[in-house]
Structures are given as C-alpha cells and as structure tokens.
Amino acid sequence: MHDVRTVRAPSMLRLAAASLAGTAIEFYDFFVYGTAAALVLGPLFFPTFSPVAGTLAAFATFGVGFVARPLGSVLFGHIGDRHGRRPVLVASLLLTGASTVAVGCVPTYDTIGVTAPLLLLVLRFLQGLGLGGEWGGAVLLTLEHAPAGRRGLWSSFPQVGPALGFLLANGVVLGLSATLSEAQFAAWGWRVPFWAAGVLALVGLWLRSSLAESPSFLKIDDHARVPLAEVARDHWRLVLLTAGALSIGYAVFYAVTTWSLAYATERLGVSRSVMLICIMGAVLVKGSLTPVAALLGDRYGRRPLCLIGCTATALWMFPMVALLATAEPLLMFLGFLGAMLAFITMFAVIAAYLPELYEPRVRCTGAAVGYNLGGVLGGALTPIVATALVEQGGRVPWGVGAYLTGVALLSLGCFALLPETRPVPTVAAEPATG
C-alpha cells in the first residue's frame, strides 16, 4: 500500500484552477477543429464534392475525434487506474496539443491530393484519443481531493473548461474573421488557431507540473490488473446507461456550436461573425452558471438535476430550431441560451455523478468510458444527421428538432434508471483532504 501520510493536500482552489486550465486548453484544441470544419475544411480538403457533401465530409472527420475518445478513455483510464491520475493529465495534454498543431500544418487537397484529408483524419483521431483521457484525469484528481459535501462544486471547475476552450477557440476565429479577407482566411488564417495550441499546451503543462496525486488512488491496496475487463464484467450495464444518459448533452452542445454555425452561414446567409457572437454569448452564460448548478447538485442531489435538465431539453428543441430559422440574432441567441441552460443543469453535476457511481479501483476507466461513449452517440452523429435532415426539409429544420427531442427522451429514460450518489451526512464518506 502507498504511504498516504507523505502526501500534502493541495489548496483546492489551486488544484481546481490547474484542472480547469488544462481542460480548457484541451477542449480549445478539440473545438477549433469543429469551427474550422463548419467554415472552411470542406472546400479546402474535399473540393471535388458539392458544398453540402463537402460539409458532410468535414463533419465526418470531426466525428472521428469522438470515435477515438472512448479508445482514449480505455488507454488513459488504464494508466489512471494502474499508475495514478496525475500522469494522465500530462500525457493527454501532450498528445492533444501536438496533434492540433500538426492539423495547422497539413497541406490542402490542391497541394497533396487525397493524402490531405487522410492526414486530417489521422490527426483528428489523435486529438480525440488525447481528449478521451483528459476528462477522467482532470475530474478525478479534483473530485478525490475534495471534501465529500462539496465534491459537486469542486469537480465542476473542470466542467467549466469546455466553455472556456470553446470561447477561446471561437474568439480567435472571430478575431481573424474581423481582420482578414475571406481569401486570406481560407489561404492561411484558419491555420493560426491550430498553431496557437502549441503555446497553450506548454502553459497547461507548467500549471499541472506540481499537482499532487489523488489520495483515493494512493489508498488502493489492490489495483485492477486490467481495469477495462473488470468494468466490462461488473459494470457493463452502468456504462451503457451513462452513455445513453449523456448523449443528449453532447447532441445539444454540438447542434448549437457546430451544426447551427454551418446551417446559418450556408443556408440562411447569416454572417460568420454574427453567428459566432450569438453562440459564444450562450456558451458564456452556460460556463458562468456551471458552479451554481453544481452547488445545487451538492444540496439536492445529482440525479434530480439531470432529470430536470433532460426534460427541459426535450421541451426546448422545437422552439430552438424555430428561433434559429428566423435568422434574427437576438432570437437565435435566445434559442441557444435556452438549450445551454438545460444542458448545464445536467452536465454541471456529471463530473461528480459519474465517478461516484464506480469504486475507486476502476473509477478512471469506468467513468471516462461512459462519458466518452456518450460523446460518440451524441456529439459525433449530430452534425452529420442534422445536416442530412436539413436537406429533406424546408426553411425551418423541424427534422433536427425531432431528432434532438428523441435523443433527449432516450437520455431521460437512462437517467431515470440510474441511482443517486450524493453523500449524505449520516453515512461515512471518504476522508476529506481539502
């Protein structure tokens, strides 16, 4: 058994800040690809396709990142359960940062032909592999240091990371769009956000270099030899339920941030800058309210908030697509805002909820695999399905609303079958260290 007495408990604020910063950087890497896929990758890497087919092909490479995420959660989950949560944070950040910088260096189809989209596919896969390990490592290191009664609050800080990463990625693209011509942006401007990932990765590594290992991990006497095998044997039902439950969160987020960007700019004639501002405004509110929703989860339970958020999502999807179809900036923003508020009601507590469902010896693998499988079901398919559905409908994409409502109802059923995990004061909990 490891000697936990030599481990000095870090400041929870410093720990949470380091986890948040690293997660924001990794999600910046992931999101900047989605924005580029919606705006420029189709014509640059699939020029022989029609505009719609080129967008679908670009979104298909976008989806490869989600397919890789469960594989990354298996790889890094094994490291996290066998060797510690901390090594996961460093390795995943290095992999995601390096592959993102490389995307910015890939020549276009006009230069190297079919090799260009193939390289894009490989690098997107590596991005997803790294991000698949990031969430589990960052969340667990924060959660397992936190006092039992505030696990929801402290573990929500890494959940703010995706919002910051998205805002940073789209802020860079917005700035470039405002200062460059369309020709300049297509020629080289789109590459700048990818190159910036290298600097951000170095900052993240510096922030994470002094973090202490999780006390829960250090107390484990008998580590699982093959964590994935143990999860598949003993917790397969839990993995499937959590994947189904989380799929609507991914579906809504990427419908708002990726599909709607392509739809409004290509079909409705809305400018790129207007759409980015509308989406970024909604995501900013979502990120700001994440700790508030997490505090409610600490007080009232994880499961009730997930059920409320899922129900609200199901009720809001048709109004959201109707507001989007108006092409009016304020109405589109309100549609996105309602979706993001429903989303964060669920996802603010997920960072505490998922790990608490698993015992510490397989927690890194189990929680991360369930989380990232939900990404495949919701995030990878949504831009592709939504783009295809729009081709079959009129100006208002009712088919997209129906699809998202259906996913929300599926997730609601899965959440209903999961137990509550919030620690209660009368029950002995893991010793607090922060």
Side-chain angles (χ1 to χ4, degrees):
M1 180 177 180
H2 298 274
D3 182 4
V4 300
R5 291 174 299 176
T6 61
V7 178
R8 182 173 177 269
S11 158
M12 281 308 305
L13 189 59
R14 179 173 62 84
L15 177 63
S19 294
L20 184 157
T23 305
I25 291 165
E26 290 219 41
F27 274 92
Y28 165 89
D29 296 349
F30 201 73
F31 288 144
V32 78
Y33 189 100
T35 304
L39 297 176
V40 296
L41 295 188
L44 291 177
F45 288 87
F46 305 94
T48 60
F49 292 16
S50 70
V52 171
T55 300
L56 281 170
F59 280 152
T61 61
F62 173 75
V64 165
F66 286 97
V67 175
R69 283 173 66 169
L71 299 177
S73 65
V74 171
L75 171 63
F76 289 104
H78 183 91
I79 296 170
D81 285 326
R82 292 283 299 165
H83 305 290
R85 322 308 194 198
R86 189 173 174 273
V88 171
L89 296 183
V90 175
S92 63
L93 187 57
L94 278 172
L95 178 58
T96 308
S99 55
T100 304
V101 172
V103 170
C105 300
V106 175
T108 62
Y109 185 94
D110 288 342
T111 304
I112 59 173
V114 72
T115 306
L118 290 177
L119 284 174
L120 212 58
L121 203 66
V122 170
L123 293 171
R124 181 59 175 172
F125 181 87
L126 293 176
Q127 268 192 327
L129 205 66
L131 192 63
E134 162 64 24
W135 184 85
V139 163
L140 288 191
L141 201 62
T142 309
L143 175 89
E144 292 178 344
H145 276 100
R150 284 290 179 264
R151 286 179 187 160
L153 172 63
W154 289 113
S155 63
S156 74
F157 279 80
Q159 291 295 82
V160 179
L164 291 180
F166 176 84
L167 291 171
L168 183 59
N170 285 272
V172 171
V173 173
L174 185 61
L176 290 168
S177 297
T179 55
L180 300 178
S181 67
E182 290 287 337
Q184 289 173 321
F185 186 80
W188 58 267
W190 68 272
R191 298 182 183 274
V192 174
F194 292 94
W195 295 336
V199 177
L200 293 174
L202 292 176
V203 172
L205 290 171
W206 174 74
L207 286 170
R208 290 178 165 184
S209 62
S210 60
L211 295 181
E213 184 53 78
S214 156
S216 293
F217 173 80
L218 295 174
K219 290 176 184 176
I220 298 172
D221 289 312
D222 183 23
H223 295 282
R225 290 180 59 83
V226 185
L228 178 63
E230 194 166 317
V231 168
R233 183 185 69 239
D234 300 332
H235 305 291
W236 62 270
R237 181 176 179 273
L238 183 57
V239 170
L240 294 179
L241 282 176
T242 53
L246 299 184
S247 60
I248 185 55
Y250 284 101
V252 168
F253 190 85
Y254 287 100
V256 169
T257 61
T258 301
W259 167 75
S260 68
L261 180 60
Y263 170 76
T265 54
E266 293 174 5
R267 298 291 295 262
L268 304 180
V270 181
S271 78
R272 179 193 307 152
S273 297
V274 167
M275 280 305 298
L276 287 174
I277 290 171
C278 290
I279 295 168
M280 289 169 65
V283 173
L284 177 62
V285 176
K286 168 247 176 192
S288 301
L289 293 179
T290 298
V292 177
L295 274 173
L296 293 175
D298 278 331
R299 181 165 185 178
Y300 299 108
R302 327 301 191 202
R303 186 171 173 269
L305 264 71
C306 291
L307 293 172
I308 291 169
C310 222
T311 302
T313 302
L315 295 173
W316 188 247
M317 291 301 94
F318 280 109
M320 185 191 78
V321 298
L323 291 169
L324 171 63
T326 66
E328 292 292 332
L330 179 59
L331 295 179
M332 291 191 297
F333 167 72
L334 291 176
F336 298 152
L337 179 61
M340 288 294 98
L341 292 177
F343 165 85
I344 203 53
T345 303
M346 294 178 281
F347 266 56
V349 299
I350 287 301
Y353 195 16
L354 258 66
E356 287 172 345
L357 289 167
Y358 294 89
E359 56 185 314
R361 59 185 271 120
V362 294
R363 183 175 281 167
C364 197
T365 299
V369 168
Y371 185 84
N372 288 297
L373 279 177
V376 176
L377 296 174
L381 294 178
T382 294
I384 299 171
V385 172
T387 301
L389 287 172
V390 166
E391 289 304 298
Q392 310 303 318
R395 179 179 174 86
V396 181
W398 297 120
V400 178
Y403 168 73
L404 293 172
T405 302
V407 177
L409 293 174
L410 168 67
S411 295
L412 183 63
C414 292
F415 274 126
L417 295 173
L418 289 171
E420 179 56 78
T421 63
R422 178 175 65 100
V424 289
T426 55
V427 177
E430 292 178 25
T433 62

